[in-house]
Amino acid sequence: MLGIIAAVLFFIAFLINAADISTNEVFASTNVMLIGLMLLALHVAGVGGGWSGRGRRR
């Protein structure tokens, strides 16, 4: 789920940058891209996977 959110944020950052949309400092394309990178790093680290180790029984 975090990977999908990161992809959406990367797309929004691309649109802001490509369309040269004037935004305030909080929603600048670089800041949106950095939030996307943080979410992608959390996804790769395994945070928010949704599966717990106790839920699997053999």
Side-chain angles (χ1 to χ4, degrees), residues 11-23 27-30 32:
F11 182 69
I12 291 172
F14 171 75
L15 287 179
I16 290 172
N17 192 16
D20 199 26
I21 297 172
S22 177
T23 61
F27 295 111
S29 65
T30 305
V32 175

Side-chain angles (χ1 to χ4, degrees), residues 7-48:
V8 169
L9 285 176
F10 285 142
F11 182 69
I12 291 172
F14 171 75
L15 287 179
I16 290 172
N17 192 16
D20 199 26
I21 297 172
S22 177
T23 61
N24 59 6
E25 293 298 319
V26 176
F27 295 111
S29 65
T30 305
N31 290 340
V32 175
M33 182 185 62
L34 289 174
I35 292 171
L37 283 173
M38 180 195 64
L39 289 174
L40 189 62
L42 288 173
H43 174 72
V44 170
V47 176

